[in-house]
Amino acid sequence: MFETSWLRAFASFAEHKNFTHAARKLHVSQPALFAQVQKLTEAAGTQLYKRVGRGIVLTEAGTRLAAFAKKNLAEQAA
């Protein structure tokens, strides 16, 4: 199972596709956010994003996991 903090970190990262902006939104440091996304990536056992030039693109698995994270976090908030 994925930790809620990892899902929250990845949902923000997936929305912004930028570690710095996502970290700022969550009020955490960029290295802390990166570490949480890396832990989620390891737990998922697949690559969730890739760098393309200076940008970031979610993989198919990353897109699915971002949707799962968003849904899961919304259910927890309700």
Side-chain angles (χ1 to χ4, degrees), residues 15-74:
E15 177 184 343
H16 295 281
K17 293 183 183 62
N18 180 294
F19 283 104
T20 302
H21 295 161
R24 196 173 295 138
K25 180 178 179 184
L26 294 175
H27 305 288
V28 298
S29 70
Q30 184 272 336
L33 178 77
F34 181 79
Q36 290 178 338
V37 171
Q38 286 305 110
K39 288 177 184 177
L40 181 63
T41 300
E42 290 171 13
T46 188
Q47 187 176 5
L48 301 176
Y49 67 93
K50 59 184 176 180
R51 292 197 176 271
V52 177
R54 292 182 54 157
I56 292 176
V57 177
L58 296 179
T59 63
E60 185 178 331
T63 300
R64 288 193 313 266
L65 190 56
F68 169 79
K70 186 175 178 179
K71 180 182 175 195
N72 184 280
L73 294 169

